[in-house]
Amino acid sequence: MDKFPSPARSAATTLEPRVSAIVVARKLRAADAAKIDLCLRSALAEALTDELIIVGVGNDAEISSMLRAFQADRRDVKLVPVASGASAAAAANEGAKHARGRWLLFLDPDVVLQRGAVTRLAAAAGNARTPCILGGRLTDLEGRDRAGARRGALNAFSAIAVAMELPGAKRPRRRRGVSPTPVAAVSGAFMLMQRSDFADLKGFDEAFVTDAADLDLCRRAVDAGGSILFHPAAAGVQFERAARSHAQAQGLALFASKSAKTHVERAFAAVARPALTLLLALKDFVVGRPPLR
């Protein structure tokens, strides 16, 4: 990859950038260096990406040094350091504040895009109801689907479905090469939306420490009359994650609390955090691998 943008990309960035890619590098260690390098380069390789915002949160010295060097090598990369205690949602919001593009692409640092994924997502928006949130297909290194989208209406009990990856609550049936499919939610690991829609929704709820801020944003978009679309032809590969049951339970429990509408849902929300922590720990023990999310 060239150290500097092409003349066409440089000309585009003198106007309003088309896509601002936002990658939150949070608490990464030296072993994560190769993954995030691939992630950043895949985002910049997308034809519509005119700028890349990297938000650094509490990373190892080696990762921080690498990110500074990455910024120094390119005019279309901006590194935004934030306090080490910032939540993932707060860091993503900070990245959005520095973005100038019409579109915001939120990408986890362990996701590597397949060429053309962002172009397909942006084209899929079409005349969809706004606010519109789009997500693509994520697979692991062996080509197995991750939970990139979820069907059915979101409610407090969706937290259990997400935590346990229950069949029928996890993702729509995969059909490669077809039109985008309306879903209830897409993953914040690979999410695209217009900057104006993100502003109208007031961004991610910063009370979510790690997980479920994407579910909450999708729920609020639907409540506002918008649409959530999943495009199986827009794809990326996501590396395996370390187990994080306690942190994941915090976000899912908060989502359950914010989504609860009935008496039964509110009763579940009251005990959601310890219940979800136990369920996630048992799943990790029995299955023997980190949660796929």
Side-chain angles (χ1 to χ4, degrees):
M1 180 178 293
D2 295 335
K3 290 178 66 175
F4 298 101
S6 66
R9 179 172 286 177
S10 296
T13 54
T14 61
L15 304 174
E16 180 187 63
R18 293 165 295 179
V19 172
S20 296
I22 300 170
V23 177
V24 175
R26 185 173 184 267
K27 298 183 179 179
L28 300 184
R29 302 297 175 252
D32 300 312
K35 299 176 186 178
I36 189 171
D37 184 71
L38 288 171
C39 169
L40 300 177
R41 294 183 186 279
S42 74
L44 287 169
E46 289 296 301
L48 292 183
T49 301
D50 288 330
E51 68 174 358
L52 171 63
I53 311 296
I54 308 170
V55 185
V57 189
N59 298 302
D60 272 3
E62 182 176 331
I63 295 292
S64 298
S65 177
M66 186 199 85
L67 296 179
R68 288 192 297 269
F70 201 91
Q71 174 185 237
D73 280 347
R74 299 190 59 107
R75 294 191 299 267
D76 52 357
V77 174
K78 183 173 185 179
L79 177 60
V80 179
V82 300
S84 60
S87 68
N93 287 343
E94 188 64 25
K97 292 177 184 176
H98 289 267
R100 300 179 296 120
R102 176 188 175 193
W103 294 90
L104 301 179
L105 169 68
F106 295 99
L107 198 64
D108 274 9
D110 56 359
V111 172
V112 179
L113 295 177
Q114 293 183 8
R115 187 65 63 92
V118 175
T119 299
R120 294 186 184 97
L121 276 190
N127 296 319
R129 301 187 312 276
T130 58
C132 178
I133 301 177
L134 304 107
R137 176 179 171 238
L138 292 172
T139 65
D140 64 14
L141 293 176
E142 298 180 5
R144 297 172 299 191
D145 280 344
R146 291 196 183 278
R150 295 174 182 87
R151 297 174 292 175
L154 295 177
N155 55 45
F157 295 109
S158 298
I160 298 178
V162 172
M164 304 307 294
E165 303 180 81
L166 297 179
K170 181 166 63 170
R171 60 175 75 88
R173 182 176 299 173
R174 175 164 58 90
R175 295 173 295 167
R176 297 186 184 183
V178 300
S179 301
T181 304
V183 293
V186 294
S187 173
F190 177 22
M191 175 185 284
L192 183 75
M193 64 188 304
Q194 291 197 47
R195 182 157 55 103
S196 57
D197 287 347
F198 188 74
D200 289 343
L201 292 172
K202 303 186 186 306
F204 292 108
D205 184 339
E206 299 185 2
F208 290 89
V209 176
T210 55
D211 291 72
D214 49 359
L215 292 177
D216 178 69
L217 186 69
C218 290
R219 179 187 61 80
R220 287 186 282 125
V222 171
D223 288 347
S227 52
I228 314 297
L229 299 175
F230 171 74
H231 199 338
V237 175
Q238 187 173 33
F239 290 93
E240 199 72 47
R241 293 183 175 186
R244 60 194 196 284
S245 298
H246 179 76
Q248 188 180 14
Q250 182 273 339
L252 291 175
L254 178 58
F255 176 79
S257 177
K258 293 188 64 176
S259 304
K261 295 179 180 179
T262 68
H263 292 300
V264 174
E265 289 177 348
R266 293 190 188 99
F268 164 68
V271 298
R273 185 161 184 173
L276 289 167
T277 299
L278 178 60
L279 285 174
L280 287 164
L282 287 173
K283 187 189 75 170
D284 292 348
F285 177 77
V286 172
V287 178
R289 59 171 171 79
L292 294 182
R293 188 179 177 282

PDB file of all heavy atoms in Angstrom, residues 156-157 159 252-276:
ATOM      1  N   ALA A 156     -36.183  -7.113  25.853  1.00  0.00           N
ATOM      2  CA  ALA A 156     -35.269  -7.414  26.957  1.00  0.00           C
ATOM      3  C   ALA A 156     -34.699  -8.818  26.860  1.00  0.00           C
ATOM      4  O   ALA A 156     -33.534  -9.058  27.181  1.00  0.00           O
ATOM      5  CB  ALA A 156     -36.000  -7.229  28.295  1.00  0.00           C
ATOM      6  N   PHE A 157     -35.490  -9.773  26.401  1.00  0.00           N
ATOM      7  CA  PHE A 157     -35.038 -11.151  26.328  1.00  0.00           C
ATOM      8  C   PHE A 157     -34.076 -11.401  25.159  1.00  0.00           C
ATOM      9  O   PHE A 157     -33.474 -12.474  25.079  1.00  0.00           O
ATOM     10  CB  PHE A 157     -36.233 -12.099  26.242  1.00  0.00           C
ATOM     11  CG  PHE A 157     -37.083 -12.082  27.487  1.00  0.00           C
ATOM     12  CD1 PHE A 157     -38.344 -11.518  27.469  1.00  0.00           C
ATOM     13  CD2 PHE A 157     -36.602 -12.603  28.683  1.00  0.00           C
ATOM     14  CE1 PHE A 157     -39.117 -11.486  28.620  1.00  0.00           C
ATOM     15  CE2 PHE A 157     -37.366 -12.583  29.832  1.00  0.00           C
ATOM     16  CZ  PHE A 157     -38.636 -12.020  29.803  1.00  0.00           C
ATOM     17  N   ALA A 159     -31.336 -10.138  25.013  1.00  0.00           N
ATOM     18  CA  ALA A 159     -30.026 -10.240  25.663  1.00  0.00           C
ATOM     19  C   ALA A 159     -29.629 -11.701  25.863  1.00  0.00           C
ATOM     20  O   ALA A 159     -28.465 -12.067  25.708  1.00  0.00           O
ATOM     21  CB  ALA A 159     -30.054  -9.507  27.006  1.00  0.00           C
ATOM     22  N   LEU A 252     -25.156  -6.328  27.954  1.00  0.00           N
ATOM     23  CA  LEU A 252     -26.416  -7.011  27.674  1.00  0.00           C
ATOM     24  C   LEU A 252     -27.449  -6.750  28.760  1.00  0.00           C
ATOM     25  O   LEU A 252     -28.645  -6.602  28.474  1.00  0.00           O
ATOM     26  CB  LEU A 252     -26.164  -8.508  27.517  1.00  0.00           C
ATOM     27  CG  LEU A 252     -25.372  -8.919  26.268  1.00  0.00           C
ATOM     28  CD1 LEU A 252     -25.076 -10.410  26.300  1.00  0.00           C
ATOM     29  CD2 LEU A 252     -26.121  -8.545  24.999  1.00  0.00           C
ATOM     30  N   ALA A 253     -26.999  -6.674  30.019  1.00  0.00           N
ATOM     31  CA  ALA A 253     -27.926  -6.371  31.109  1.00  0.00           C
ATOM     32  C   ALA A 253     -28.466  -4.953  30.973  1.00  0.00           C
ATOM     33  O   ALA A 253     -29.659  -4.705  31.212  1.00  0.00           O
ATOM     34  CB  ALA A 253     -27.227  -6.543  32.456  1.00  0.00           C
ATOM     35  N   LEU A 254     -27.616  -4.020  30.581  1.00  0.00           N
ATOM     36  CA  LEU A 254     -28.073  -2.644  30.376  1.00  0.00           C
ATOM     37  C   LEU A 254     -29.059  -2.573  29.225  1.00  0.00           C
ATOM     38  O   LEU A 254     -30.072  -1.867  29.299  1.00  0.00           O
ATOM     39  CB  LEU A 254     -26.877  -1.732  30.113  1.00  0.00           C
ATOM     40  CG  LEU A 254     -27.192  -0.248  29.836  1.00  0.00           C
ATOM     41  CD1 LEU A 254     -27.969   0.367  30.993  1.00  0.00           C
ATOM     42  CD2 LEU A 254     -25.906   0.532  29.579  1.00  0.00           C
ATOM     43  N   PHE A 255     -28.782  -3.334  28.172  1.00  0.00           N
ATOM     44  CA  PHE A 255     -29.722  -3.376  27.047  1.00  0.00           C
ATOM     45  C   PHE A 255     -31.071  -3.926  27.487  1.00  0.00           C
ATOM     46  O   PHE A 255     -32.123  -3.399  27.111  1.00  0.00           O
ATOM     47  CB  PHE A 255     -29.155  -4.222  25.907  1.00  0.00           C
ATOM     48  CG  PHE A 255     -30.108  -4.387  24.762  1.00  0.00           C
ATOM     49  CD1 PHE A 255     -30.281  -3.374  23.842  1.00  0.00           C
ATOM     50  CD2 PHE A 255     -30.857  -5.548  24.629  1.00  0.00           C
ATOM     51  CE1 PHE A 255     -31.185  -3.511  22.788  1.00  0.00           C
ATOM     52  CE2 PHE A 255     -31.757  -5.698  23.590  1.00  0.00           C
ATOM     53  CZ  PHE A 255     -31.922  -4.676  22.662  1.00  0.00           C
ATOM     54  N   ALA A 256     -31.045  -4.980  28.289  1.00  0.00           N
ATOM     55  CA  ALA A 256     -32.300  -5.551  28.790  1.00  0.00           C
ATOM     56  C   ALA A 256     -33.079  -4.520  29.587  1.00  0.00           C
ATOM     57  O   ALA A 256     -34.304  -4.400  29.460  1.00  0.00           O
ATOM     58  CB  ALA A 256     -32.002  -6.788  29.643  1.00  0.00           C
ATOM     59  N   SER A 257     -32.377  -3.754  30.410  1.00  0.00           N
ATOM     60  CA  SER A 257     -33.036  -2.736  31.227  1.00  0.00           C
ATOM     61  C   SER A 257     -33.655  -1.641  30.360  1.00  0.00           C
ATOM     62  O   SER A 257     -34.787  -1.212  30.594  1.00  0.00           O
ATOM     63  CB  SER A 257     -32.026  -2.135  32.204  1.00  0.00           C
ATOM     64  OG  SER A 257     -32.609  -1.102  32.968  1.00  0.00           O
ATOM     65  N   LYS A 258     -32.915  -1.176  29.346  1.00  0.00           N
ATOM     66  CA  LYS A 258     -33.420  -0.102  28.490  1.00  0.00           C
ATOM     67  C   LYS A 258     -34.545  -0.572  27.578  1.00  0.00           C
ATOM     68  O   LYS A 258     -35.380   0.237  27.156  1.00  0.00           O
ATOM     69  CB  LYS A 258     -32.288   0.465  27.642  1.00  0.00           C
ATOM     70  CG  LYS A 258     -31.211   1.203  28.425  1.00  0.00           C
ATOM     71  CD  LYS A 258     -30.230   1.895  27.501  1.00  0.00           C
ATOM     72  CE  LYS A 258     -30.894   2.992  26.677  1.00  0.00           C
ATOM     73  NZ  LYS A 258     -29.927   3.724  25.853  1.00  0.00           N
ATOM     74  N   SER A 259     -34.565  -1.875  27.265  1.00  0.00           N
ATOM     75  CA  SER A 259     -35.559  -2.401  26.327  1.00  0.00           C
ATOM     76  C   SER A 259     -36.831  -2.892  27.011  1.00  0.00           C
ATOM     77  O   SER A 259     -37.839  -3.106  26.337  1.00  0.00           O
ATOM     78  CB  SER A 259     -34.948  -3.563  25.521  1.00  0.00           C
ATOM     79  OG  SER A 259     -33.779  -3.162  24.856  1.00  0.00           O
ATOM     80  N   ALA A 260     -36.780  -3.103  28.305  1.00  0.00           N
ATOM     81  CA  ALA A 260     -37.912  -3.700  29.015  1.00  0.00           C
ATOM     82  C   ALA A 260     -39.156  -2.811  28.949  1.00  0.00           C
ATOM     83  O   ALA A 260     -39.091  -1.624  29.257  1.00  0.00           O
ATOM     84  CB  ALA A 260     -37.525  -3.959  30.461  1.00  0.00           C
ATOM     85  N   LYS A 261     -40.262  -3.406  28.550  1.00  0.00           N
ATOM     86  CA  LYS A 261     -41.521  -2.671  28.454  1.00  0.00           C
ATOM     87  C   LYS A 261     -42.628  -3.317  29.277  1.00  0.00           C
ATOM     88  O   LYS A 261     -43.472  -2.634  29.836  1.00  0.00           O
ATOM     89  CB  LYS A 261     -41.947  -2.561  26.984  1.00  0.00           C
ATOM     90  CG  LYS A 261     -40.993  -1.739  26.123  1.00  0.00           C
ATOM     91  CD  LYS A 261     -41.440  -1.682  24.679  1.00  0.00           C
ATOM     92  CE  LYS A 261     -40.484  -0.859  23.834  1.00  0.00           C
ATOM     93  NZ  LYS A 261     -40.897  -0.813  22.407  1.00  0.00           N
ATOM     94  N   THR A 262     -42.623  -4.643  29.342  1.00  0.00           N
ATOM     95  CA  THR A 262     -43.662  -5.335  30.098  1.00  0.00           C
ATOM     96  C   THR A 262     -43.177  -5.614  31.521  1.00  0.00           C
ATOM     97  O   THR A 262     -41.992  -5.486  31.828  1.00  0.00           O
ATOM     98  CB  THR A 262     -44.021  -6.671  29.426  1.00  0.00           C
ATOM     99  OG1 THR A 262     -42.898  -7.563  29.532  1.00  0.00           O
ATOM    100  CG2 THR A 262     -44.365  -6.461  27.952  1.00  0.00           C
ATOM    101  N   HIS A 263     -44.100  -6.026  32.379  1.00  0.00           N
ATOM    102  CA  HIS A 263     -43.744  -6.352  33.756  1.00  0.00           C
ATOM    103  C   HIS A 263     -42.769  -7.527  33.797  1.00  0.00           C
ATOM    104  O   HIS A 263     -41.821  -7.535  34.606  1.00  0.00           O
ATOM    105  CB  HIS A 263     -45.003  -6.691  34.566  1.00  0.00           C
ATOM    106  CG  HIS A 263     -45.917  -5.517  34.784  1.00  0.00           C
ATOM    107  ND1 HIS A 263     -45.510  -4.383  35.441  1.00  0.00           N
ATOM    108  CD2 HIS A 263     -47.224  -5.316  34.447  1.00  0.00           C
ATOM    109  CE1 HIS A 263     -46.514  -3.518  35.491  1.00  0.00           C
ATOM    110  NE2 HIS A 263     -47.564  -4.060  34.895  1.00  0.00           N
ATOM    111  N   VAL A 264     -42.982  -8.509  32.938  1.00  0.00           N
ATOM    112  CA  VAL A 264     -42.101  -9.677  32.914  1.00  0.00           C
ATOM    113  C   VAL A 264     -40.702  -9.272  32.468  1.00  0.00           C
ATOM    114  O   VAL A 264     -39.697  -9.714  33.045  1.00  0.00           O
ATOM    115  CB  VAL A 264     -42.676 -10.764  31.985  1.00  0.00           C
ATOM    116  CG1 VAL A 264     -41.691 -11.920  31.844  1.00  0.00           C
ATOM    117  CG2 VAL A 264     -44.014 -11.265  32.516  1.00  0.00           C
ATOM    118  N   GLU A 265     -40.617  -8.426  31.453  1.00  0.00           N
ATOM    119  CA  GLU A 265     -39.310  -7.965  30.970  1.00  0.00           C
ATOM    120  C   GLU A 265     -38.590  -7.149  32.038  1.00  0.00           C
ATOM    121  O   GLU A 265     -37.375  -7.264  32.215  1.00  0.00           O
ATOM    122  CB  GLU A 265     -39.477  -7.146  29.692  1.00  0.00           C
ATOM    123  CG  GLU A 265     -39.869  -7.979  28.481  1.00  0.00           C
ATOM    124  CD  GLU A 265     -40.096  -7.126  27.252  1.00  0.00           C
ATOM    125  OE1 GLU A 265     -40.170  -5.890  27.385  1.00  0.00           O
ATOM    126  OE2 GLU A 265     -40.199  -7.697  26.155  1.00  0.00           O
ATOM    127  N   ARG A 266     -39.334  -6.324  32.764  1.00  0.00           N
ATOM    128  CA  ARG A 266     -38.703  -5.520  33.824  1.00  0.00           C
ATOM    129  C   ARG A 266     -38.211  -6.415  34.958  1.00  0.00           C
ATOM    130  O   ARG A 266     -37.163  -6.153  35.554  1.00  0.00           O
ATOM    131  CB  ARG A 266     -39.698  -4.490  34.358  1.00  0.00           C
ATOM    132  CG  ARG A 266     -40.071  -3.402  33.339  1.00  0.00           C
ATOM    133  CD  ARG A 266     -40.859  -2.288  33.997  1.00  0.00           C
ATOM    134  NE  ARG A 266     -41.374  -1.366  32.992  1.00  0.00           N
ATOM    135  CZ  ARG A 266     -42.602  -1.376  32.504  1.00  0.00           C
ATOM    136  NH1 ARG A 266     -43.479  -2.277  32.965  1.00  0.00           N
ATOM    137  NH2 ARG A 266     -42.986  -0.524  31.600  1.00  0.00           N
ATOM    138  N   ALA A 267     -38.948  -7.481  35.252  1.00  0.00           N
ATOM    139  CA  ALA A 267     -38.517  -8.412  36.291  1.00  0.00           C
ATOM    140  C   ALA A 267     -37.228  -9.115  35.869  1.00  0.00           C
ATOM    141  O   ALA A 267     -36.302  -9.295  36.683  1.00  0.00           O
ATOM    142  CB  ALA A 267     -39.617  -9.435  36.563  1.00  0.00           C
ATOM    143  N   PHE A 268     -37.148  -9.500  34.610  1.00  0.00           N
ATOM    144  CA  PHE A 268     -35.918 -10.124  34.119  1.00  0.00           C
ATOM    145  C   PHE A 268     -34.761  -9.124  34.149  1.00  0.00           C
ATOM    146  O   PHE A 268     -33.641  -9.467  34.550  1.00  0.00           O
ATOM    147  CB  PHE A 268     -36.114 -10.637  32.700  1.00  0.00           C
ATOM    148  CG  PHE A 268     -34.813 -10.948  32.000  1.00  0.00           C
ATOM    149  CD1 PHE A 268     -34.026 -12.010  32.418  1.00  0.00           C
ATOM    150  CD2 PHE A 268     -34.365 -10.159  30.951  1.00  0.00           C
ATOM    151  CE1 PHE A 268     -32.815 -12.292  31.789  1.00  0.00           C
ATOM    152  CE2 PHE A 268     -33.155 -10.428  30.326  1.00  0.00           C
ATOM    153  CZ  PHE A 268     -32.382 -11.500  30.745  1.00  0.00           C
ATOM    154  N   ALA A 269     -35.020  -7.894  33.736  1.00  0.00           N
ATOM    155  CA  ALA A 269     -33.961  -6.879  33.695  1.00  0.00           C
ATOM    156  C   ALA A 269     -33.350  -6.658  35.075  1.00  0.00           C
ATOM    157  O   ALA A 269     -32.159  -6.365  35.196  1.00  0.00           O
ATOM    158  CB  ALA A 269     -34.516  -5.572  33.128  1.00  0.00           C
ATOM    159  N   ALA A 270     -34.170  -6.809  36.119  1.00  0.00           N
ATOM    160  CA  ALA A 270     -33.687  -6.577  37.486  1.00  0.00           C
ATOM    161  C   ALA A 270     -32.618  -7.586  37.901  1.00  0.00           C
ATOM    162  O   ALA A 270     -31.771  -7.287  38.751  1.00  0.00           O
ATOM    163  CB  ALA A 270     -34.854  -6.617  38.468  1.00  0.00           C
ATOM    164  N   VAL A 271     -32.648  -8.768  37.303  1.00  0.00           N
ATOM    165  CA  VAL A 271     -31.666  -9.801  37.668  1.00  0.00           C
ATOM    166  C   VAL A 271     -30.786 -10.183  36.474  1.00  0.00           C
ATOM    167  O   VAL A 271     -30.076 -11.185  36.515  1.00  0.00           O
ATOM    168  CB  VAL A 271     -32.373 -11.067  38.206  1.00  0.00           C
ATOM    169  CG1 VAL A 271     -33.153 -10.742  39.474  1.00  0.00           C
ATOM    170  CG2 VAL A 271     -33.301 -11.664  37.143  1.00  0.00           C
ATOM    171  N   ALA A 272     -30.832  -9.385  35.439  1.00  0.00           N
ATOM    172  CA  ALA A 272     -30.181  -9.753  34.187  1.00  0.00           C
ATOM    173  C   ALA A 272     -28.666  -9.886  34.308  1.00  0.00           C
ATOM    174  O   ALA A 272     -28.077 -10.837  33.787  1.00  0.00           O
ATOM    175  CB  ALA A 272     -30.527  -8.738  33.102  1.00  0.00           C
ATOM    176  N   ARG A 273     -28.030  -8.957  35.027  1.00  0.00           N
ATOM    177  CA  ARG A 273     -26.563  -8.986  35.029  1.00  0.00           C
ATOM    178  C   ARG A 273     -25.985 -10.247  35.662  1.00  0.00           C
ATOM    179  O   ARG A 273     -25.158 -10.933  35.037  1.00  0.00           O
ATOM    180  CB  ARG A 273     -26.000  -7.733  35.692  1.00  0.00           C
ATOM    181  CG  ARG A 273     -24.483  -7.667  35.600  1.00  0.00           C
ATOM    182  CD  ARG A 273     -23.952  -6.286  35.829  1.00  0.00           C
ATOM    183  NE  ARG A 273     -22.509  -6.233  35.655  1.00  0.00           N
ATOM    184  CZ  ARG A 273     -21.801  -5.115  35.663  1.00  0.00           C
ATOM    185  NH1 ARG A 273     -22.399  -3.956  35.817  1.00  0.00           N
ATOM    186  NH2 ARG A 273     -20.490  -5.140  35.503  1.00  0.00           N
ATOM    187  N   PRO A 274     -26.380 -10.620  36.893  1.00  0.00           N
ATOM    188  CA  PRO A 274     -25.825 -11.868  37.443  1.00  0.00           C
ATOM    189  C   PRO A 274     -26.248 -13.095  36.644  1.00  0.00           C
ATOM    190  O   PRO A 274     -25.464 -14.033  36.482  1.00  0.00           O
ATOM    191  CB  PRO A 274     -26.361 -11.904  38.879  1.00  0.00           C
ATOM    192  CG  PRO A 274     -27.534 -10.981  38.879  1.00  0.00           C
ATOM    193  CD  PRO A 274     -27.226  -9.922  37.881  1.00  0.00           C
ATOM    194  N   ALA A 275     -27.473 -13.086  36.142  1.00  0.00           N
ATOM    195  CA  ALA A 275     -27.952 -14.230  35.371  1.00  0.00           C
ATOM    196  C   ALA A 275     -27.150 -14.391  34.080  1.00  0.00           C
ATOM    197  O   ALA A 275     -26.737 -15.502  33.719  1.00  0.00           O
ATOM    198  CB  ALA A 275     -29.436 -14.064  35.054  1.00  0.00           C
ATOM    199  N   LEU A 276     -26.911 -13.281  33.390  1.00  0.00           N
ATOM    200  CA  LEU A 276     -26.164 -13.341  32.130  1.00  0.00           C
ATOM    201  C   LEU A 276     -24.693 -13.672  32.368  1.00  0.00           C
ATOM    202  O   LEU A 276     -24.073 -14.390  31.577  1.00  0.00           O
ATOM    203  CB  LEU A 276     -26.296 -12.013  31.381  1.00  0.00           C
ATOM    204  CG  LEU A 276     -27.685 -11.740  30.787  1.00  0.00           C
ATOM    205  CD1 LEU A 276     -27.807 -10.284  30.359  1.00  0.00           C
ATOM    206  CD2 LEU A 276     -27.940 -12.666  29.599  1.00  0.00           C
TER     207      LEU A 276
END
